[in-house]
Amino acid sequence: MDVVPEPMAELVHRAAATTPAYPGDLATVRRRWRTRRRRRGAALTGGLVALVALTGGAVPLLHGRAGTPADGPPAVVPGASSPAPTPERAAAQRLVISGTEWFVPDGSDRPKVGLAAVPAAELRLDGSVVPYRVPEGFELGAALPDGRLVGLVRRDVARPRSAGANTDKVAIDLVLVEPGGRERRWHLQAPRERVGVVGADDRTVYLVRPAGLVARDLSTGVEKVVLRSSVVGSDLLGPDARVTGGRIAVRSEATRTVCLIDVYDLAGRERRGRVETGPGCLFVLSPDGRSLAAVHRTPANIREQRLGIWDVATGKQLADVPVGTVTRDPATAGMVYGLAWDDDRTARAVWAQVPPGADRVYQVPEVMRIVSASTQ
């Protein structure tokens, strides 16, 4: 019984030869994979040949294995996190809005209508507003490119009761605020000395003192006089000067009808130009220092606010757009909360105004309007 009859063995061998292979057999799987790889390689080679023929050889060189372009996007694996979105283009100057509270007088002790204070908040290019955590009494001086803010905090200020009151107790601190709220402080003021912040970069903060413009190293605290008040011909004050791009813009004259702004090089201490705007100007130099943007009132209508751009070298006005109107009614009066350059050609201003019929206190982002001017 252990011997299989020869006719039966022959029939079994014939049946096995005609039966198709099991699809899950390892040898069969490998054989099919090699066949398909050869076919894909042949198809890709033929396609490249045809493409070269059609384009006259103007085809970028592909590196890597056939069927996988080296510069193509990576394959998305199920369950894996998607690539991070492309970050928004950063503005050349950070537009930080800041201002004190403003309420409409209503004859009562409790304010009902007005605008809430904005210690410091950044307005992004997409229109979003990011608030900053700053110390109480923080006065914004400048926004650094790396996200930090620098300003002043006045503390223990003694209110003089008479002309001969002692004012030596006035203390002013220079405060550097990081995005997370962490801060560094330096005591600045000597008795009876005025001081202001007019600009800053990653390593230096620019102060105005009685001697003139002073550059203070943020790492060492060492100060150096960059431009003396005697060169400018006037006493520099915080709101009257701004440092940008190696230049300083100084408001040398301000009257009811005109505002004159002189621009000096910090290195050569030479005047590079003069710009004439309307009264009440709030100004800032472009990143390259060649243009000046200012929100100002028009001499014909002192309530009308406009945003203009001027060429520093020639004094020629390059752009002029309306911003807002300060009405006679205090319930709808508006004001500028920030001004900065997106690039060397475009400047933005933030205007906030209480809407007609208001019956509450508004946050500035609720009612603000962004106005742009460009030389393009």
Side-chain angles (χ1 to χ4, degrees):
M1 298 299 296
D2 295 335
V3 180
V4 179
E6 184 176 349
M8 179 64 71
E10 184 178 356
L11 289 175
V12 172
H13 285 296
R14 288 180 180 179
T18 58
T19 301
Y22 173 59
D25 180 71
L26 181 59
T28 303
V29 172
R30 289 176 174 174
R31 184 169 57 254
R32 289 202 305 267
W33 177 78
R34 288 193 295 268
T35 301
R36 290 176 181 174
R37 186 177 64 175
R38 287 195 298 270
R39 289 176 180 174
R40 287 198 302 267
L44 180 61
T45 302
L48 288 176
V49 172
L51 184 59
V52 171
L54 291 173
T55 60
V59 179
L61 187 62
L62 300 180
H63 299 281
R65 294 176 299 177
T68 308
D71 297 332
V76 178
V77 181
S81 59
S82 58
T86 303
E88 182 192 23
R89 175 184 68 85
Q93 295 175 356
R94 296 167 54 220
L95 178 50
V96 179
I97 59 178
S98 179
T100 59
E101 61 186 19
W102 178 82
F103 298 117
V104 178
D106 60 353
S108 65
D109 296 334
R110 183 175 61 86
K112 297 180 180 180
V113 178
L115 297 175
V118 185
E122 181 175 357
L123 176 61
R124 302 284 179 83
L125 288 175
D126 61 2
S128 61
V129 178
V130 180
Y132 281 83
R133 200 168 55 186
V134 296
E136 184 179 359
F138 181 77
E139 299 175 8
L140 177 66
L144 279 67
D146 59 6
R148 295 176 294 173
L149 302 178
V150 61
L152 301 177
V153 171
R154 305 176 190 273
R155 55 185 176 83
D156 299 330
V157 178
R159 295 181 177 273
R161 297 180 180 179
S162 64
N166 182 12
T167 59
D168 293 353
K169 294 182 180 180
V170 176
I172 299 180
D173 291 343
L174 175 67
V175 183
L176 185 67
V177 181
E178 297 182 357
R182 184 179 177 182
E183 62 182 61
R184 296 177 60 190
R185 290 192 179 220
W186 300 269
H187 180 61
L188 284 185
Q189 187 175 11
R192 298 183 178 88
E193 180 181 323
R194 292 178 300 174
V195 63
V197 177
V198 295
D201 54 36
D202 291 336
R203 298 182 300 176
T204 307
V205 57
Y206 293 95
L207 308 171
V208 285
R209 291 185 179 272
L213 179 67
V214 176
R216 181 186 179 96
D217 191 288
L218 289 173
S219 300
T220 64
V222 176
E223 295 188 359
K224 178 183 177 181
V225 178
V226 179
L227 187 68
R228 295 193 175 275
S229 299
S230 58
V231 176
V232 179
S234 63
D235 188 11
L236 297 176
L237 299 176
D240 297 334
R242 299 303 302 175
V243 174
T244 307
R247 292 184 171 184
I248 180 172
V250 180
R251 183 163 49 196
S252 56
E253 182 178 344
T255 67
R256 295 175 59 89
T257 59
V258 70
C259 181
L260 297 181
I261 305 168
D262 291 321
V263 179
Y264 295 84
D265 272 337
L266 296 183
R269 299 176 176 83
E270 297 179 356
R271 195 178 77 170
R272 293 302 181 182
R274 167 171 286 190
V275 171
E276 180 178 334
T277 76
C281 57
L282 171 68
F283 57 90
V284 63
L285 283 168
S286 61
D288 60 8
R290 297 180 179 179
S291 302
L292 184 138
V295 177
H296 63 109
R297 301 192 301 267
T298 60
N301 184 359
I302 61 173
R303 295 183 179 86
E304 182 183 4
Q305 304 279 330
R306 303 187 69 86
L307 172 59
I309 297 178
W310 288 262
D311 179 75
V312 169
T314 64
K316 180 181 178 181
Q317 188 171 17
L318 306 176
D320 183 44
V321 296
V323 173
T325 301
V326 180
T327 62
R328 292 179 180 272
D329 184 1
T332 56
M335 63 188 72
V336 178
Y337 276 80
L339 175 64
W341 289 80
D342 291 347
D343 48 44
D344 289 323
R345 296 179 178 269
T346 304
R348 289 187 300 164
V350 178
W351 171 266
Q353 191 168 14
V354 177
D359 58 358
R360 63 183 177 90
V361 176
Y362 293 84
Q363 300 295 324
V364 169
E366 292 184 86
V367 294
M368 71 180 183
R369 188 160 53 90
I370 304 169
V371 180
S372 297
S374 178
T375 60
Q376 294 178 345

